[in-house]
């Protein structure tokens, strides 16, 4: 009965359009009152405070700040230019540029929607100019952005490490390293899928570039993405919410947007590499510092933010002192959305623990079968459905307490659990009805969500193959961390 009230009220609220953060909180409060009376509500402030005051979670706003600063500094344009110089001259080179640029930016932002917004404002118009249909251009960028929560530094891995610590401790550094191989596998799979996408008009008569699509700066679109993710129930977040504004791109972004995909970028390979080096150093500093024992993951987020600020103010000089309040406000808004979800989800998780809901779910699953492969399949399908409706942070707080004990019981190691859950929820970013990456890409491309969904099918198949591989081959998640001794 308790499980029915808790999850039934949550999904009911989600269905009628209540934002995820409030659905979590209201469902938890309803169940708490039912089980322990109204007096038990006094525990809520202490639960929320305890979760939000975690030193580990402090890394999240700093990584978000680093991503916002680097976007305003024009790093996405320089990463795209470098990727174009490396592979743009090959057949299907522009599709490779999309995936490689997304991989690079994922290693800076740690967020899927932010990655889509940052590279999409330049690459979606470029793809359309080079003959791709709008739906294929938008879906390609949306799918590539799904790597944002898998490639380190990943906000999702930070949240998983915090939530799973009640059952078994795992270091954030190990999870970060564990995400590298699956991230590379996703990149390869997406490049293969992108090479199979037909161009609508191969040479002449190409569709004109979007007048407004290139106009959304990555961070502006990421703000809207954050709004969608905070209200990701049905009825929340249409592509209209993400419609780009007038052209606010910098000169560098406009220049890169005009020549990307023309096949001539290889002539300035070394120059584009030098321009991209400051951005490429961000993941090196973060992972190198953690692996080398120089600083903790939280400290690495602070170092990344400080370094990003230095790059924006001194190296690229695209951020002025007067623009800093805007950058900090953008990062604060995005951080507040995530932390609001964390606070509400922590109360939900407390109710699960206090009422031993996890034990009930574990007993129910193990009564069906104790076969590890079948249980993994059940978990896989369950998370795929959940990922269609709620964001990764909420899903981790909801389902790690329920599923981690079962998976640990049948012999799945905690690193593999973290990777399979995060990759699974990355798939949810490009699955309807509430795939947030699809909303962001549709808004930039100025096309309907239905068109983007139809165009995303080959990419969805590609990432599903990777998901099954990392689920049933634990060595893919553990090989690199074990090799490095993390």
């Amino acid at each position: 009965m308790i499980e029915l009230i808790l999850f039934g009220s949550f999904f009911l609220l989600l269905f009628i359009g209540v934002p995820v953060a409030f659905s979590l909180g209201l469902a938890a409060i309803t169940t708490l009152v039912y089980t322990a009376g109204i007096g038990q509500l006094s525990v809520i402030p202490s639960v929320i405070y305890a979760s939000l005051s975690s030193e580990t979670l402090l890394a999240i706003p700093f990584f978000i700040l680093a991503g916002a600063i680097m976007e305003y500094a024009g790093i996405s344009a320089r990463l795209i230019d470098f990727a174009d110089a490396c592979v743009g001259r090959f057949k299907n080179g522009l599709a490779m540029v999309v995936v490689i640029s997304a991989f690079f930016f994922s290693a800076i932002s740690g967020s899927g929607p932010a990655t889509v917004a940052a590279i999409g404002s330049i690459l979606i118009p470029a793809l359309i100019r080079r003959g791709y249909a709008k739906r294929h251009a938008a879906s390609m960028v949306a799918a590539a952005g799904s790597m944002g929560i898998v490639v380190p530094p990943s906000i999702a891995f930070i949240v998983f490490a915090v939530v799973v610590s009640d059952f078994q401790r795992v270091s954030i550094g190990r999870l970060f390293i564990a995400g590298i191989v699956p991230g590379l596998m996703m990149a390869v799979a997406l490049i293969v899928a992108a090479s199979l996408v037909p161009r609508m008009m191969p040479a002449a008569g190409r569709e004109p570039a979007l007048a407004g699509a290139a106009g959304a700066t990555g961070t502006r679109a990421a703000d809207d993405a954050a709004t969608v993710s905070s209200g990701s129930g049905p009825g929340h977040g249409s592509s209209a919410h993400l419609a780009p504004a007038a052209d606010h791109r910098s000169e560098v972004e406009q220049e890169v947007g005009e020549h990307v995909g023309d096949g001539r970028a290889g002539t300035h390979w070394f120059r584009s590499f030098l321009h991209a080096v400051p951005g490429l150093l961000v993941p090196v500093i973060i992972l190198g510092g953690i692996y080398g024992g120089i600083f903790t993951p939280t400290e690495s987020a602070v170092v990344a933010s400080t370094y990003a600020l230095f790059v924006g103010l001194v190296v690229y000089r695209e951020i002025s002192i007067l623009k800093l309040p805007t950058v900090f406000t953008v990062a604060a808004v995005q951080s507040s959305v995530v932390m609001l979800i964390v606070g509400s989800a922590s109360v939900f998780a407390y109710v699960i623990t206090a009422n031993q809901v996890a034990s009930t779910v574990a007993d129910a699953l193990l009564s069906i079968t104790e076969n590890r492969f079948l249980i993994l399949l059940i978990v896989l399908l369950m998370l795929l459905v959940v990922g269609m409706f709620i964001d990764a942070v909420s899903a981790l707080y909801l389902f790690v307490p329920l599923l981690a004990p079962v998976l640990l019981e049948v012999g799945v190691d905690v690193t593999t659990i973290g990777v399979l859950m995060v990759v699974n929820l990355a798939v949810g970013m490009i699955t309807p009805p509430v795939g947030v990456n699809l909303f962001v890409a549709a808004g930039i491309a100025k096309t309907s969500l239905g068109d983007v969904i139809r165009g995303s099918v080959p990419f969805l198949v590609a990432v599903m193959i990777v998901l099954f591989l990392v689920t049933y081959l634990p060595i893919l998640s553990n090989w690199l961390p074990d090799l490095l001794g993390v």
Side-chain angles (χ1 to χ4, degrees), residues 94-121:
L94 189 54
M96 296 183 197
V97 170
V98 171
V99 178
I100 293 172
S101 301
F103 187 89
F104 285 158
F105 197 82
S106 296
I108 294 173
S109 70
S111 165
T115 299
V116 174
I119 68 169
S121 58

Side-chain angles (χ1 to χ4, degrees), residues 251-320:
E251 291 182 7
V252 173
E253 290 172 323
Q254 292 179 31
E255 180 186 347
V256 172
E258 288 168 3
H259 75 66
V260 66
D262 62 10
R264 297 193 296 269
T267 58
H268 61 270
W269 183 91
F270 188 68
R271 186 187 70 186
S272 64
F273 170 71
L274 291 179
H275 289 169
V277 162
L280 295 172
L281 283 176
V282 173
V284 175
I285 292 171
I286 294 171
L287 297 179
I290 295 173
Y291 173 63
I294 301 172
F295 36 68
T296 66
T298 302
E299 291 166 347
S300 74
V302 178
V303 171
S305 299
T306 306
Y307 172 76
L309 196 58
F310 173 78
V311 170
L313 290 171
V314 179
V315 180
Y316 291 155
R317 298 183 180 180
E318 294 212 17
I319 298 180
S320 65

Side-chain angles (χ1 to χ4, degrees), residues 5-14 20 23-24 27 348 390 398:
I5 294 173
L6 182 63
F7 287 97
S9 59
F10 169 68
F11 284 110
L12 176 63
L13 291 166
L14 207 61
V20 171
S23 297
L24 287 168
F348 196 97
I390 59 178
L398 263 66

Side-chain angles (χ1 to χ4, degrees), residues 405-417:
V406 182
L407 293 172
L408 290 170
E409 177 72 21
V410 297
V412 183
D413 67 277
V414 69
T415 305
T416 301
I417 295 172

Side-chain angles (χ1 to χ4, degrees), residues 153-173:
S154 164
I155 292 173
F157 279 136
I158 296 173
V159 173
F160 174 81
V162 170
V163 181
V164 83
S165 62
D166 289 338
F167 309 99
Q168 185 171 328
R169 297 190 66 84
V170 60
S171 72
I172 294 175

Side-chain angles (χ1 to χ4, degrees), residues 56-67 155 301 305 331-332 335-336 339:
T56 305
L57 287 180
L58 190 60
I60 293 177
F62 280 106
F63 277 131
I64 290 175
L65 175 60
I155 292 173
S305 299
S335 299
S336 64
M339 301 314 282

